[in-house]
Amino acid sequence: MLVIDDLHAEVAGKPILKGLSLTINAGEIHAIMGPNGAGKSTLGYTLGGRPGYEVTGGSVTFEGRDLLALAPHERAAAGLFLGFQYPVEIPGVSNVQFLREALNAQRRQRGETELSGGAFLQVAKLKAGLLKMDMDMLKRPVNVGFSGGEKKRAEMVQMGILDPKFAVLDETDSGLDIDALRICGEGINTIMRKPGKAVLLITHYQRLLDVVKPDFVHVLAGGRIVRSGGPELALELEREGYEAVA
Amino acid sequence: MTARALPDTRAVEDWRYAPQAALAELWPLEAPDTVTVPAGEHFVRAIVLDTDAVVHLDLTLAAGATAAVHVVNVGSGYGRVEVTATLGAGADFTLGAVQLAGGSAMREIVASVTHAAPDATSRQIVRTVLGGQATGTVLGRIRVERGAIGTDAEQSIRAMLLDRTATANARPELEIFADDVKCAHGCAVGELDAMGLFYLQSRGLEPPRAKALMLQAFLAEALVGAEDEERLCALALAALEGLL
Ligand SMILES: Nc1ncnc2c1ncn2[C@@H]1O[C@H](COP(=O)(O)OP(=O)(O)OP(=O)(O)O)[C@@H](O)[C@H]1O
Ligand SMILES: [Mg+2]
């Protein structure tokens, strides 16, 4: 589904990703762990097409297409979802308006029919319910005044509504309380654990991986994948730290 | 018609940013539209300017009178909307104005609110969006005369540049000759938050639509509460689409 080959990327002229390769097949959940500043978020932003994240080498192929040739909104329409480490506040724009427009923009780009207001609200209610988020929150401006944990939960509601094929979730677990962690983890399973879909989880902690069980775990350090393994690798990392393992 | 002399735009402060040539075309100007709002009454006016013109509304509010003026200043050439208000005791005045300009348009909003007696309240909110080589100017004055104690005046002037080639002139001015007054003002020129734009696009919105969503809230701040808010917002959004 996603093939990253020898990816090099820099931010503000500083090389961050230095030959990163990773293949993710449909139906798989991969976790990436790694020390602070290793380039995990940079990988997410580069896949999402954030301006300023310049690819200087390598390739990314998503379902046979050159992902890097697409604009951010086209990547979304192709089925990519990026869960932000720090979700952005958009004052004056309600979640409902934003998400309905976003979903319909994606559907338009894919040549599908747009959802009516009523049909959209049904989907939104269903997904908000899945994440145990109050519909009233969805009527408020995007992320404005949301607590750290609420923002992360709102990201998962967005993912549920947009229903992507592939999600990069950047520290979705950070800031979540114990119950919210379980709810979000189960939400990820419900929304994304399907044949034809895949997930790349960026996390520092085993506790999310207890709920969303990864098929593969990778260590990203110094802008490259330095070790890969099964779920046991995360446990080993938690016990021994990056220095010892990678 | 008044026989006002054409101002030398380089020398007269209130006309400093007006283009001399375009102004000469429009000269002589019509006399200001002068309105006195009687004690205790409420006055409402919406001014939509989408042509090359200079319009001037001059209000005098008697004691306890209230007025709300909303402005949408759009168009491809030179257009200036001037609103002056003199407030009697306990009067209340609101100005909410938006202007949008692209191409080589030059739009101006000039607001001058005089608190002439005690306990009047006023607020001016002006939002400007500029693209291309356009110029948008806002001159906003609050004057509190001697004896106008208990004045409560607010002013918020903000401009957003869609292109670095556009020019925003924003000049707030406070003249306070009384004690015990509250005057709050803020003035800022900025660009759209790049991270916000990326966030919206990462969810599937095309770039122009992402920009429009972010700007719609920015403009709405000036039009909220207008009697025909919906119509004015629609006009502003239509002008916005033209800029993106
Ligand atoms: N705009 C920028 N200018 C310069 N350096 C940057 C910029 N953005 C990111 N970096 C650097 O890139 C490196 C990788 O950052 P990144 O956010 O990808 O790390 P991370 O692995 O996600 O870390 P964390 O676990 O703390 O979230 C860091 O050293 C960071 O300081
Ligand atoms: Mg990070």
Side-chain angles (χ1 to χ4, degrees), chain A residues 24-47:
Chain A
I24 298 176
N25 297 306
E28 294 176 353
I29 291 184
H30 291 238
I32 283 196
M33 307 181 83
N36 295 131
K40 302 181 299 297
S41 293
T42 301
L43 173 62
Y45 287 138
T46 304
L47 293 177

Side-chain angles (χ1 to χ4, degrees), chain A residues 10-17 32-45 50 52-53 85-86 170-171 202-204 220 242:
Chain A
E10 56 184 53
V11 185
K14 181 179 164 195
I16 310 288
L17 300 184
I32 283 196
M33 307 181 83
N36 295 131
K40 302 181 299 297
S41 293
T42 301
L43 173 62
Y45 287 138
R50 180 173 168 193
Y53 286 68
Q85 183 172 1
Y86 305 106
D170 193 354
E171 297 197 27
I202 296 170
T203 184
H204 287 296
L220 199 167
Y242 293 115

Side-chain angles (χ1 to χ4, degrees), chain B residues 3-82:
Chain B
R4 270 202 283 170
L6 183 64
D8 179 347
T9 55
R10 288 155 309 177
V12 182
E13 195 57 23
D14 278 5
W15 292 91
R16 203 171 113 189
Y17 300 102
Q20 187 89 34
L23 200 56
E25 296 272 314
L26 298 171
W27 215 262
L29 302 179
E30 295 200 14
D33 181 3
T34 305
V35 176
T36 299
V37 186
E41 289 195 12
H42 182 53
F43 173 84
V44 174
R45 173 72 62 88
I47 300 170
V48 176
L49 185 66
D50 57 5
T51 54
D52 287 17
V54 173
V55 298
H56 184 176
L57 173 64
D58 181 32
L59 295 177
T60 303
L61 276 64
T66 60
V69 176
H70 289 91
V71 175
V72 175
N73 187 15
V74 294
S76 55
Y78 172 63
R80 167 175 170 121
V81 178
E82 192 165 341

Side-chain angles (χ1 to χ4, degrees), chain A residues 167-182:
Chain A
V168 182
L169 304 180
D170 193 354
E171 297 197 27
T172 295
D173 50 343
S174 67
L176 293 175
D177 68 44
I178 296 163
D179 292 347
L181 181 77
R182 190 179 38 75

